[in-house]
Structures are given as C-alpha cells and as structure tokens.
Amino acid sequence: QVHLVESGGGSVQAGDSLKLSCVVSGLTESTYSMGWFRQPPGKERERIGNTDNSGRANYADSVKGRFTISQEVNRNTLYLQMDSLKPEDTAMYYCAAAPGKIWWNYAPAAEDFDVWGQGTQVTVSS
C-alpha cells in the first residue's frame, strides 16, 4: 500500500524560495501519476501540478514559471520547488498518488488521486 509523507513547509517572506519533499513508499506500479495540491485557508483544495512515470509535468496557470515538480529516479521522493513565493501561496500543501493512472491532455482533479499525504503548511508573509 502506498504511503506519502510531506515535509519542508515553513514560514517565509514574499520572494523567497522553498522546496517541499514527499517521501513515497509502497509504490510498485510501473505506471503512475503523482501530484501536488494546496488548500488555502477557507478555500477548496486546488491542483498545483502533476507528473507521471515518464517525468512529464503539467502545472496550473497560477504557478507556471514559479513552481517546478521533480522526482528522484528511484521514485521514492517527489519534490516541489517553489520560487518567487507570494502571500497568496499560503496554504496547506499535499502530495497525492494515483497508482496505475496516467493522463494525456487532462488536468486531474483531487478526486482522480487515490492516496494522500498528511500535508505540510506553507506561510508566506509580505
């Protein structure tokens, strides 16, 4: 069974960078997708971006050019590099896994993912 643990959150100033990690265990499928989501206070969970076993990554327009998703070759860690952070990036950040699934020309929603981490808080002050 897949298990995800996020880390790396914290409090930073606007313009700073932060790198989140998501340690993945139990993922045995050769085909899979992984994603990063966030949930600002009082708002719904929103997609940041997703990647898959090919290494392709797609991003939401709100973070394109500032955030980068990557994964280690041995698949056991997913990263989210966040640059030029803004106060509106303040949220709880989650990684998610969809074993056995990949998508083409489709921005997956939260319900498309089957496994979730516990989240890590990111707070950006102006």
Side-chain angles (χ1 to χ4, degrees):
Q1 130 187 8
V2 180
H3 190 56
L4 308 174
V5 179
E6 303 97 331
S7 64
S11 296
V12 297
Q13 298 288 319
D16 285 351
S17 297
L18 205 58
K19 188 172 185 177
L20 305 184
S21 300
C22 174
V23 176
V24 183
S25 59
L27 182 60
T28 60
E29 288 82 354
S30 59
T31 298
Y32 62 89
S33 288
M34 300 287 299
W36 283 100
F37 287 76
R38 65 186 180 186
Q39 188 162 14
K43 297 185 179 181
E44 297 201 350
R45 193 168 297 191
E46 60 183 21
R47 172 182 158 272
I48 294 170
N50 56 283
T51 186
D52 60 32
N53 50 279
S54 75
R56 299 175 299 131
N58 296 290
Y59 302 92
D61 289 342
S62 59
V63 304
K64 201 172 291 184
R66 296 191 300 124
F67 289 12
T68 304
I69 295 173
S70 61
Q71 55 183 311
E72 287 191 344
V73 174
N74 61 3
R75 308 187 303 169
N76 72 346
T77 307
L78 182 73
Y79 299 103
L80 179 65
Q81 175 68 44
M82 304 185 292
D83 299 319
S84 302
L85 282 162
K86 304 175 182 180
E88 51 263 44
D89 294 319
T90 294
M92 183 70 79
Y93 283 69
Y94 299 90
C95 68
K101 299 178 184 178
I102 56 171
W103 300 285
W104 295 89
N105 297 318
Y106 172 66
E111 51 264 34
D112 291 313
F113 290 85
D114 304 298
V115 184
W116 291 83
Q118 83 290 347
T120 186
Q121 177 68 38
V122 173
T123 302
V124 184
S125 56
S126 57

